[in-house]
Amino acid sequence: MRGRGDERAPRTQRLKRLLLAGMVGGALATGVPGPATAAGTDGPDFELPFPCGDTWTGTSRYNHSPSSLSVDFNKANDLGAPTVAAAPGVITSAVNLGDRSYGRYIVVDHGGGWTTLYAHLSAFWSTTGQAVDQGTVLGLVGTSGGSTGPHLHFEERYNKVDQRAYFHRTVFTMGSTMPSANCGDTPVIGDWDGNGTSNIGVFRRSSPPLFYLKRPGRAPLSIGYGRPTDQPVSGDWDGDGGIDIGVRRASSMSFLLRNKDGSSTSVPLGRLSDFGLTGDWNGDRKTDLGVWHPNTRLFTLRAADGSTKTLTFGALGDRPVTGDWNGDKKTDLGVYSASTSTFTLRTVSRTGVVSTQKVVWGTPTSLPVAGDWNEDGLGDVGVWNPATATFSLRLTPSIAGRAPGVRSPLWGVPRG
């Protein structure tokens, strides 16, 4: 029997469960409503915990531990398949219980009392303290713990109590098979038209995925590249002044950089759970690569010759950002705390003095972005709101005492 047990039980107990399940025909497991607080779908924008387009079948039973509202997901050849975050949040647990109970499992906190749990994993691709976007790979489906076969055990919880699962704002019916609509946009920034000002864009986690890049006054660029589980990046890979696209692929722990002729260059860097970065670390006008490890807050910056340097900056739950905050033609580092809607930007003076500045911008659900919005040579910050697909770009004032300006263009497809 595949994916039906959360604890290994004696053979007689397993047979009893099978007989009882057959007698009720699954009706008891599927007919139990959740608490009133979860009767509606006004919580997070949960999508199926699998990459865009993947098709899975979800089941339960009356004595499913810890609740008949928990869902066991299966498909053909499911062992080792990636499972992704059903909604944005912060990983609060990444625990290995060995051959007991959930085995390897991850809990993601989505705020407002809502959490999701992903159990019986064969491998972790994310770590405690990591801020994850919807669609971020958390780990691989397995049969760890008390599982009797490969499957993903999934729970949606409100105030630590299991709720009826819903996806794409629709309550899930046990025993049904459905394709994943976990295909949301992710912001990506670059000077797509070569005029010196950063432009907005999105990476659409469709199947196949698509870069959709805005060029003011010109037709948008639409470039198919990568996989739905990749992290989008951009930069001038060859130093010709044009901005190119690329991705960081966790499965290979490497960057794939798209060249002008459509070919790719692969650059290994970092660990499974690292977040990819790009920037001109040495001011030679050619984009370099880097990674940030969310658990240790360690930045690893790679030079063109392959050498690396490291430094620690930020806090658990932050997201990294990069930009030239002081206008010295070298890319600086920063982090964004969603809980306080605060950017903390790090700069190094010509004499080596390190300083930081804090900028409050965005909301707890915002995703951070950075670029030069007004072509003044200074890196600006901004955020993208997934619910409205709206960028809020903060324009650094060029005149002392002048309040920062803001641009709020709409780009991409709203989630939920």
Side-chain angles (χ1 to χ4, degrees):
M1 181 172 62
R2 302 174 64 246
R4 295 295 185 268
D6 294 325
E7 298 177 356
R8 298 193 185 278
R11 184 173 181 272
T12 54
Q13 292 183 18
R14 295 201 301 272
L15 288 173
K16 183 178 179 181
R17 290 177 183 176
L18 282 170
L19 290 171
L20 288 171
M23 290 171 62
V24 300
L28 187 59
T30 60
V32 179
T37 54
T41 53
D42 55 351
D45 170 29
F46 290 126
E47 297 291 355
L48 211 67
F50 303 105
C52 180
D54 279 10
T55 299
W56 291 74
T57 300
T59 59
S60 191
R61 58 192 183 283
Y62 83 97
N63 59 351
H64 199 175
S65 176
S67 164
S68 62
L69 302 176
S70 308
V71 187
D72 282 348
F73 282 107
N74 284 112
K75 72 169 185 175
N77 302 316
D78 48 15
L79 182 63
T83 181
V84 305
V90 176
I91 296 175
T92 54
S93 299
V95 179
N96 185 358
L97 296 177
D99 61 0
R100 299 183 298 109
S101 184
Y102 290 133
R104 291 186 180 89
Y105 73 94
I106 283 176
V107 175
V108 179
D109 185 351
H110 306 285
W114 287 92
T115 58
T116 49
L117 180 143
Y118 314 73
H120 304 314
L121 304 178
S122 62
F124 293 136
W125 280 23
S126 298
T127 183
T128 303
Q130 180 177 351
V132 294
D133 191 15
Q134 188 176 66
T136 300
V137 179
L138 302 177
L140 303 181
V141 172
T143 185
S144 62
S147 169
T148 57
H151 69 291
L152 176 70
H153 174 99
F154 176 80
E155 300 173 28
E156 291 179 9
R157 296 173 170 179
Y158 181 71
N159 289 339
K160 301 183 179 179
V161 177
D162 272 16
Q163 309 294 304
R164 290 189 65 181
Y166 69 90
F167 305 107
H168 210 62
R169 297 298 181 191
T170 301
V171 174
F172 182 72
T173 300
M174 295 295 186
S176 62
T177 300
M178 64 184 297
S180 173
N182 203 326
C183 313
D185 290 348
T186 297
V188 60
I189 302 298
D191 181 9
W192 316 126
D193 53 9
N195 68 354
T197 302
S198 298
N199 305 124
I200 58 177
V202 294
F203 175 69
R204 187 153 297 157
R205 298 186 184 279
S206 51
S207 184
L210 178 73
F211 281 81
Y212 190 54
L213 312 176
K214 182 177 177 61
R215 297 184 298 177
R218 301 173 62 185
L221 282 175
S222 181
I223 305 172
Y225 191 70
R227 298 175 181 171
T229 52
D230 290 339
Q231 178 205 335
V233 295
S234 65
D236 183 1
W237 315 134
D238 52 13
D240 68 351
I243 299 299
D244 308 298
I245 59 172
V247 296
R248 185 174 189 275
R249 183 161 295 166
S251 60
S252 60
M253 292 175 282
S254 63
F255 289 82
L256 294 178
L257 310 179
R258 184 181 184 275
N259 302 312
K260 294 293 191 297
D261 61 2
S263 64
S264 296
T265 300
S266 177
V267 182
L269 184 64
R271 292 175 280 186
L272 279 169
S273 55
D274 283 349
F275 189 93
L277 311 166
T278 61
D280 183 359
W281 315 133
N282 58 4
D284 66 355
R285 299 191 178 185
K286 186 175 180 180
T287 302
D288 305 304
L289 305 175
V291 292
W292 187 70
H293 190 64
N295 185 264
T296 61
R297 286 85 70 197
L298 183 71
F299 284 88
T300 301
L301 308 181
R302 181 187 184 275
D305 62 4
S307 62
T308 60
K309 67 176 182 179
T310 61
L311 62 93
T312 301
F313 188 64
L316 288 174
D318 286 350
R319 298 176 186 269
V321 291
T322 61
D324 184 4
W325 317 132
N326 58 2
D328 66 355
K329 309 301 182 184
K330 296 181 181 180
T331 302
D332 304 300
L333 306 176
V335 292
Y336 179 72
S337 170
S339 61
T340 60
S341 305
T342 301
F343 287 86
T344 303
L345 309 179
R346 179 185 186 273
T347 56
V348 182
S349 71
R350 298 184 186 277
T351 59
V353 177
V354 177
S355 60
T356 60
Q357 60 173 316
K358 293 186 179 295
V359 177
V360 178
W361 199 255
T363 70
T365 60
S366 298
L367 294 178
V369 295
D372 183 358
W373 315 132
N374 53 2
E375 200 181 352
D376 64 356
L378 293 174
D380 305 302
V381 298
V383 294
W384 185 72
N385 186 338
T388 61
T390 301
F391 286 86
S392 295
L393 309 178
R394 182 183 186 273
L395 300 172
T396 303
S398 56
I399 301 175
R402 182 178 175 182
V406 60
R407 289 198 296 124
S408 298
L410 174 70
W411 195 252
V413 176
R415 300 182 192 170

